[in-house]
């Protein structure tokens, strides 16, 4: 198959989607057979409402490439994509430019086809300012800051543990699956990525702060 960057698919000569789009059944088979990572590129709020279990949310509305490389260090990792209409070519181009040329499928029709198939979905809890300030003071709540290390070192919410996106896949294996985890970042983009990773490791109670630390009315109150 030609590499993605040889054509955007807009010149009428080669469209990578012609080869990569697969239906729900083949999508599931391919995920299992190839031990593929499913990347859902929709917005965080859409992903939170409903998503494919085990998928990782890396939305196109943020620092997609840097977060992708943090989450998937292996450039040869098989990848399956869930994209909004009209965005798949852009995603494939971004993957290729970052060195990921092992995308093995794009879900035909996007997430709606998964939803229409009646297959299982997962949802992610998201909380706002007042609820966040209340819950983090309760016992058995683990607060995780997934911002860049330098931001955490400059200032962070009291009691928060720092974990980068790169560290999460390893750390999640040893986490207490019954504890409550609250995740925050600057604006809610990276924390939803982190939440999807933890849920993929069967961490049951994961909650994401909508809007990140920037949305807190008074961060010092925490």
């Amino acid at each position: 198959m030609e590499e993605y960057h040889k054509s955007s698919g807009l010149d009428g000569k080669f469209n990578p989607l012609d080869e990569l789009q697969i239906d729900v059944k083949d999508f599931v088979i391919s995920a299992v057979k190839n031990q593929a990572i499913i990347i859902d590129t929709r917005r965080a709020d859409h992903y939170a409402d409903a998503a494919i279990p085990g998928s990782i949310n890396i939305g196109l509305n943020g620092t997609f490439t840097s977060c992708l490389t943090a989450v998937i260090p292996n450039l040869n990792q098989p990848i399956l994509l869930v994209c909004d209409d009209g965005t798949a070519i852009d995603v494939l181009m971004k993957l290729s430019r970052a060195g990921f040329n092992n995308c093995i499928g794009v879900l035909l029709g996007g997430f709606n086809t998964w939803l229409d198939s009646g297959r299982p979905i997962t949802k992610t809890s998201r909380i706002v300012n007042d609820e966040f300030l209340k819950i983090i003071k309760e016992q058995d709540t683990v607060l995780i800051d997934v911002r860049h290390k330098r931001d955490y070192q400059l200032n962070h919410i009291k009691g928060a543990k720092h974990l980068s996106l790169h560290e999460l896949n390893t750390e999640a294996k040893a986490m207490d699956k019954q504890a409550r985890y609250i995740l925050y970042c600057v604006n809610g983009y990276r924390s939803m990525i982190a939440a999807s990773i933890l849920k993929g490791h069967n961490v049951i109670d994961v909650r994401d702060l909508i809007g990140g630390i920037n949305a807190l009315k008074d961060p010092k109150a925490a």
Side-chain angles (χ1 to χ4, degrees), residues 127 129-144 157-160 178-182 205 207 221-222:
I127 57 177
N129 184 83
D130 294 340
E131 186 181 2
F132 174 81
L133 295 177
K134 177 182 177 182
I135 292 178
I136 62 173
K137 292 178 172 62
E138 296 178 358
Q139 292 184 341
D140 300 323
T141 294
V142 181
L143 184 60
I144 299 178
I157 297 173
K158 184 178 180 181
Q178 303 302 318
R180 175 193 296 138
Y181 294 90
I182 309 282
D205 193 345
R207 308 185 192 191

Side-chain angles (χ1 to χ4, degrees), residues 9-136:
L10 300 178
D11 57 8
K13 296 179 181 179
F14 173 67
N15 186 338
L17 291 183
D18 291 342
E19 296 182 8
L20 289 175
Q21 285 188 321
I22 52 179
D23 62 21
V24 173
K25 180 180 178 181
D26 287 339
F27 191 88
V28 173
I29 292 173
S30 187
V32 175
K33 179 181 177 181
N34 297 286
Q35 296 185 321
I37 291 178
I38 300 172
I39 301 296
D40 187 325
T41 64
R42 296 176 299 149
R43 286 176 11 191
D45 54 342
H46 293 169
Y47 178 90
D49 287 342
I52 298 173
S55 63
I56 298 175
N57 176 231
I58 308 180
L60 282 179
N61 59 323
T63 53
F64 178 83
T65 301
S66 63
C67 288
L68 179 73
T69 55
V71 172
I72 310 177
N74 178 12
L75 293 177
N76 295 316
Q77 168 65 47
I79 293 172
L80 288 166
L81 294 174
V82 179
C83 306
D84 281 326
D85 289 345
T87 64
I89 291 292
D90 185 30
V91 176
L92 291 171
M93 294 289 285
K94 290 179 185 296
L95 288 177
S96 182
R97 288 167 183 157
F100 293 90
N101 286 305
N102 198 17
C103 176
I104 58 175
V106 178
L107 183 59
L108 180 64
F111 180 72
N112 284 338
T113 60
W114 182 278
L115 204 59
D116 292 342
S117 75
R119 293 178 182 272
I121 61 169
T122 185
K123 298 184 178 184
T124 304
S125 296
R126 309 189 81 198
I127 57 177
V128 293
N129 184 83
D130 294 340
E131 186 181 2
F132 174 81
L133 295 177
K134 177 182 177 182
I135 292 178
I136 62 173

Side-chain angles (χ1 to χ4, degrees), residues 140-160:
D140 300 323
T141 294
V142 181
L143 184 60
I144 299 178
D145 185 323
V146 296
R147 295 177 300 163
H148 293 294
K149 186 71 173 181
R150 61 181 179 273
D151 295 324
Y152 175 82
Q153 292 172 335
L154 285 172
N155 184 35
H156 60 268
I157 297 173
K158 184 178 180 181

